[in-house]
Amino acid sequence: MRLDLSVPKTNPATGGEDGEDGLLLSTLREGMEHALAAHSGRTLILSDSTTFSQFVPAARSEHTLCMLWEGDALALFALPEVQQVLVSGGQDALEAARFFAHVRRISCTVFPRHAALDGAWNTRARVRLGENALDVPLSQAHVVADLSCMSETLADGYARLLLARLALFEAHALGMICRKQWGGASYEEAFSIAEPVRGELAPAAVVTANARLRQLEADGAPVGEGATLASLCGEHRYPAATAFLTLSALYTAFLERGVPRRYMVPDYAGRAQRAGTKYADLHLPTAAGYASRALSLERARGELLTQMRHIRAAKQAQLAAMRALDGHFSASPALEKLKILPEHAPDGLCAVLRDFGLLEWS
């Protein structure tokens, strides 16, 4: 099925725009009023500092409890009993609220502030609980997107679509080099959404495309190491764009000139220590596996390089599209992050490059 990137139809109940797949395009105020009217009893309103001023004034009912998100989900469980939770903020706030809703078995409505909608549909996440960060299940949530609250993230939301396309290429490359399974219905639908993103998109199209891709990723479509790299680039203004520019340049250089260094053994223990990860979590190839991958690379190199050049051919048009969405947009590769990416994404393509000895530089 191909995703319709046109603006969804108006929802008469809220005045917002009700798209397919459970996404409601609406103002934050209208979405909140609709959620409050749909449930009786006390409601928890959770917001991070970036949207607190916009979120809280919309709820003046005596049956609402407001809380500022400060990064620790454990604080939610010290609150009085509530019948639903509404949350506005970034990925960590959305995931914490959905975990809270899962444990309490209550309804959850999320108002993402980032156009990529990360944290709205994934089924599990690492959530901070006191001194620990645990992998926990998340409840399903109603998703309301206010485009006016996402204006500063639209360019990076567009870049998140490009990372989704790169994730599909990565899955294909791993399938050919490492003989891993790839493809399937979710892969094909994700490809039909991400591949045409080679020019300008309207804000609503950026959000609806991301919504469907996040759902497909929750259903098994590749997420890719690009999402991990974007999280490592959090100090950059446009982390998804930074990650896309970094990985697309690396993949192209690898396929054009990368030759496995047969007698080069990476310092796996040292790399894990520098990355802050566990050596035991690394997936290291056997000698036979290394040889098999090196041979498969040479067989697949031409086909993969052709695909990668096709992806990069739209780079200038895509950069122009991001500048059209955000006049302040500017991003460049962050090559230093590649030194630790394989340890944070042990199943990714960069881990294969590391095993080939191609990510060792001072």
Side-chain angles (χ1 to χ4, degrees):
M1 182 182 74
R2 194 179 184 86
L3 180 67
D4 181 4
L5 296 183
S6 61
V7 177
K9 297 179 180 179
T10 300
N11 183 326
T14 65
E17 294 165 342
D18 200 358
E20 61 181 52
D21 303 319
L23 174 69
L24 174 68
L25 295 183
S26 168
T27 66
L28 187 149
R29 186 182 189 91
E30 290 170 340
M32 175 180 286
E33 290 175 348
H34 176 65
L36 291 172
H39 291 81
S40 59
R42 183 181 288 141
T43 295
L44 169 62
I45 297 178
L46 179 67
S47 176
D48 66 14
S49 59
T50 61
T51 52
F52 194 76
S53 61
Q54 296 173 295
F55 203 60
V56 174
R60 303 188 181 278
S61 168
E62 61 182 8
H63 298 295
T64 60
L65 178 65
C66 299
M67 179 178 176
L68 178 65
W69 168 247
E70 296 182 335
D72 188 352
L74 195 60
L76 301 177
F77 294 92
L79 298 173
E81 291 290 330
V82 295
Q83 278 65 56
Q84 70 167 330
V85 56
L86 313 184
V87 56
S88 173
Q91 180 176 355
D92 59 339
L94 269 56
E95 291 171 344
R98 291 177 58 207
F99 169 60
F100 175 72
H102 172 83
V103 173
R104 291 290 177 86
R105 299 180 182 275
I106 58 177
S107 175
C108 181
T109 302
V110 301
F111 300 78
R113 66 174 172 83
H114 198 290
L117 305 181
D118 285 309
W121 277 285
N122 47 321
T123 58
R124 300 190 68 87
R126 291 191 66 81
V127 172
R128 180 184 165 194
L129 291 164
E131 298 298 321
N132 302 306
L134 304 178
D135 181 75
V136 297
L138 308 178
S139 72
Q140 291 186 340
H142 307 287
V143 184
V144 180
D146 185 338
L147 297 180
S148 66
C149 295
M150 296 179 172
S151 59
E152 295 183 357
T153 69
L154 287 169
D156 213 47
Y158 183 102
R160 190 70 173 81
L161 301 177
L162 306 183
L163 278 183
R165 175 64 184 92
L166 208 57
L168 301 173
F169 168 82
E170 180 191 0
H172 187 181
L174 289 170
M176 298 186 73
I177 297 172
C178 304
R179 299 181 182 180
K180 292 185 177 181
Q181 185 175 358
W182 63 281
S186 295
Y187 179 102
E188 294 299 333
E189 185 178 345
F191 185 90
S192 74
I193 297 168
E195 168 59 22
V197 182
R198 303 178 69 82
E200 291 191 13
L201 288 180
V206 172
V207 174
T208 53
N210 270 300
R212 187 56 187 150
L213 285 168
R214 297 297 85 76
Q215 289 185 323
L216 290 169
E217 289 165 359
D219 195 39
V223 177
E225 62 188 3
T228 301
L229 182 56
S231 69
L232 295 175
C233 295
E235 73 276 13
H236 293 259
R237 173 67 179 84
Y238 304 93
T242 299
F244 175 75
L245 293 174
T246 303
L247 282 182
S248 59
L250 175 68
Y251 290 169
T252 302
F254 163 58
L255 292 168
E256 287 180 340
R257 300 182 295 276
V259 178
R261 300 167 68 183
R262 183 175 179 182
Y263 300 106
M264 172 67 189
V265 179
D267 179 10
Y268 289 107
R271 291 182 61 95
Q273 183 178 25
R274 289 190 292 272
T277 57
K278 296 179 180 178
Y279 173 70
D281 291 340
L282 301 182
H283 303 162
L284 308 185
T286 63
Y290 177 99
S292 175
R293 290 180 180 183
L295 182 60
S296 296
L297 169 63
E298 293 313 312
R299 291 173 175 169
R301 186 187 296 272
E303 178 181 341
L304 293 176
L305 181 56
T306 297
Q307 292 181 22
M308 198 62 236
R309 285 174 174 168
H310 168 74
I311 291 173
R312 296 199 77 195
K315 175 183 173 182
Q316 295 307 318
Q318 291 163 341
L319 290 174
M322 287 183 272
R323 286 191 289 268
L325 290 167
D326 184 342
H328 300 288
F329 173 79
S330 178
S332 57
L335 299 179
E336 72 281 357
K337 297 297 183 181
L338 296 175
K339 296 180 180 180
I340 60 173
L341 178 58
E343 286 67 46
H344 288 272
D347 294 317
L349 186 55
C350 279
V352 177
L353 273 65
R354 175 202 60 198
D355 297 338
F356 283 156
L358 300 176
L359 289 184
E360 301 299 315
W361 74 89
S362 57

